[in-house]
Amino acid sequence: MQATSNLLNLLLLSLLAGLDPSKTQISPKEGWQVYSSAQDPDGRCICTVVAPEQNLCSRDAKSRQLRQLLEKVQNMSQSIEVLNLRTQRDFQYVLKMETQMKGLKAKFRQIEDDRKTLMTKHFQELKEKMDELLPLIPVLEQYKTDARLITQFKEEIRNLSAVLTGIQEEIGAYDYEELHQRVLSLETRLRDCMKKLTCGKLMKITGPITIKTSGTRFGAWMTDPLASEKNNRVWYMDSYTNNKIVREYKSMADFVSGAESRTYNLPFKWAGTNHVVYNGSLYFNKYQSNIIIKYSFGPGRVLAQRSLEYAGFQNVYPYTWGGFSDIDLMADEIGLWAVYATNQNAGNIVIGQLNQDTLEVTKSWNTGYPKRSAGESFMICGTLYVTNSHLTGAKVYYSYSTKTSTYEYTDIPFHNQYFHISMLDYNARDRALYAWNNGHQVLFNVTLFHIIKTEDDT
């Protein structure tokens, strides 16, 4: 602060000195006059200045110039104060980083002392574990209610990843058990944090990310939202009619490369593209009917089938693009759903909650939105979201909450990159929208407004 005062005094003197007395004679009544200047014991400059009379000062050009210069000095003073505060903050950060660097240096010395304690296999296992954790970061970043905790998690993951990457080549003598426990502890804390995220309201759709380009203009692809973390199988159903073949891939990577693991020849042809895989079974609409089929992939047979009472079929109440999309089966955090239309509801959308074993409609809601005016729809946390088109410019235009039995008009745009969407379904495990976009299999990320539970809420 003393240095700042000295700088301001010196600036003031230099500005006063800039007024050339040889060109303009300034008397005490016409302008500012420096009476004396000195330096105090702390090294600060002290000067005595006589201000002009107020009535003359307003008419004097040099006085106005001086006032402007003094205002600039004041602004510079404020800027210097801000820079001083930032410098102090950055200095503390540097001290902290110095301590961390010393700690890292000590760890690397320990690694250099003995390079044969840790096996390459152990590091590879830990590296794979970290690779599984890293995709959770973008999800957590959406929920800024707990930003400080998320930032801490990110730093720990990055630090551990950096250690693993560096050690993997060196095979140093790092305490494997300690590192393994840190990874497990971090994983537990991340999972606990994810469990605190309750159902949320759709706020934004971003993307898409193109996973693959294959098949016809119409089709469906999906994963099981109830599958375990290690089960990442993908199912692929090309076309909206005249097909019974379901292709299975063990992972997303196999799906991209085209490495099929199994094919299923269904006993019936399907209608539309609005199928869903839920808890190990495929649910689809039987061709030329309003019958819902439950086909289990495990035994490879039909476990249940039931007619969806009064539901239109065979392009009576399809989405805007047609394609026998009268009956849309979907799943969310709450369970299994069917979206369709009936004559009794004047062709408007009906939401039916299904029993996953018997396919019985346990409860239904009649909306006022015409099914034929909807581009696609999907469920998130018991709320149906409806798009207004399947073409360019489509957006989520309408939503209906089964919790409150109320609706609202929305305006949530999304990028229809390939101009024609024939399938759009939400996956609760991935918190993403799976879409078939004119022969391209794409993913959309969703941003939900979440409430994070605290210990008092449980």
Side-chain angles (χ1 to χ4, degrees), residues 100-130:
Q100 293 180 351
M101 291 299 292
K102 289 180 179 179
L104 285 174
K105 186 176 181 180
K107 288 182 179 180
F108 283 118
R109 283 177 180 169
Q110 180 183 354
I111 291 170
E112 288 293 330
D113 290 337
D114 185 1
R115 298 187 176 189
K116 297 182 180 180
T117 303
L118 206 56
M119 298 296 293
T120 305
K121 178 181 177 181
H122 294 158
F123 282 109
Q124 186 61 34
E125 291 174 354
L126 291 176
K127 191 69 169 57
E128 292 174 355
K129 179 65 71 175
M130 292 309 306

Side-chain angles (χ1 to χ4, degrees), residues 29-30 52-60 63-64 67:
K29 292 186 178 183
E30 294 175 341
E53 295 181 10
Q54 185 64 32
N55 58 344
L56 293 176
C57 194
S58 62
R59 297 193 299 270
D60 185 71
S63 299
R64 287 195 300 272
R67 285 198 304 274

Side-chain angles (χ1 to χ4, degrees), residues 278-279 281 283 294 303-306 336 354-360:
Y278 189 72
N279 199 21
S281 294
Y283 297 81
K294 177 183 179 180
L303 297 185
Q305 55 181 309
R306 180 184 290 270
L336 191 64
L354 301 179
N355 181 298
Q356 65 171 304
D357 297 320
T358 65
L359 305 180
E360 179 184 1

Side-chain angles (χ1 to χ4, degrees), residues 6-210:
N6 291 341
L7 179 59
L8 291 176
N9 289 327
L10 289 173
L11 286 171
L12 179 59
L13 288 175
S14 64
L15 291 171
L16 291 171
L19 301 177
D20 189 350
S22 64
K23 296 181 181 179
T24 305
Q25 297 296 328
I26 301 176
S27 67
K29 292 186 178 183
E30 294 175 341
W32 295 78
Q33 185 175 22
V34 180
Y35 227 76
S36 64
S37 64
Q39 190 174 36
D40 66 2
D42 295 329
R44 293 177 295 191
C45 291
I46 301 174
C47 63
T48 304
V49 180
V50 177
E53 295 181 10
Q54 185 64 32
N55 58 344
L56 293 176
C57 194
S58 62
R59 297 193 299 270
D60 185 71
K62 289 293 182 178
S63 299
R64 287 195 300 272
Q65 181 183 8
L66 183 57
R67 285 198 304 274
Q68 293 173 356
L69 292 173
L70 287 173
E71 289 175 358
K72 291 182 179 179
V73 170
Q74 291 174 356
N75 291 336
M76 291 176 65
S77 174
Q78 294 175 357
S79 298
I80 291 171
E81 288 292 339
V82 172
L83 287 173
N84 183 45
L85 290 174
R86 290 181 179 175
T87 301
Q88 292 178 1
R89 182 193 62 193
D90 292 342
F91 179 70
Q92 294 299 322
Y93 178 76
V94 169
L95 290 178
K96 181 179 178 181
M97 289 300 297
E98 182 182 12
T99 302
Q100 293 180 351
M101 291 299 292
K102 289 180 179 179
L104 285 174
K105 186 176 181 180
K107 288 182 179 180
F108 283 118
R109 283 177 180 169
Q110 180 183 354
I111 291 170
E112 288 293 330
D113 290 337
D114 185 1
R115 298 187 176 189
K116 297 182 180 180
T117 303
L118 206 56
M119 298 296 293
T120 305
K121 178 181 177 181
H122 294 158
F123 282 109
Q124 186 61 34
E125 291 174 354
L126 291 176
K127 191 69 169 57
E128 292 174 355
K129 179 65 71 175
M130 292 309 306
D131 290 339
E132 293 177 2
L133 294 178
L134 286 174
L136 293 176
I137 294 176
V139 177
L140 290 172
E141 285 181 335
Q142 298 179 20
Y143 315 116
K144 296 182 179 178
T145 309
D146 206 3
R148 183 175 59 84
L149 179 61
I150 294 171
T151 301
Q152 180 183 350
F153 285 162
K154 285 174 61 179
E155 286 301 318
E156 291 192 32
I157 289 176
R158 286 172 179 166
N159 291 340
L160 285 172
S161 297
V163 171
L164 287 169
T165 302
I167 294 177
Q168 191 169 20
E169 296 180 359
E170 295 294 331
I171 314 298
Y174 196 89
D175 188 347
Y176 171 76
E177 288 301 326
E178 177 186 352
L179 188 59
H180 184 65
Q181 290 302 319
R182 287 177 64 186
V183 172
L184 293 179
S185 174
L186 180 59
E187 180 182 23
T188 301
R189 291 161 64 190
L190 284 169
R191 300 299 178 191
D192 290 343
C193 185
M194 292 294 294
K195 290 177 182 178
K196 292 182 180 180
L197 299 178
T198 61
C199 268
K201 180 180 180 181
L202 179 65
M203 303 298 291
K204 185 178 180 181
I205 300 175
T206 56
I209 302 170
T210 302

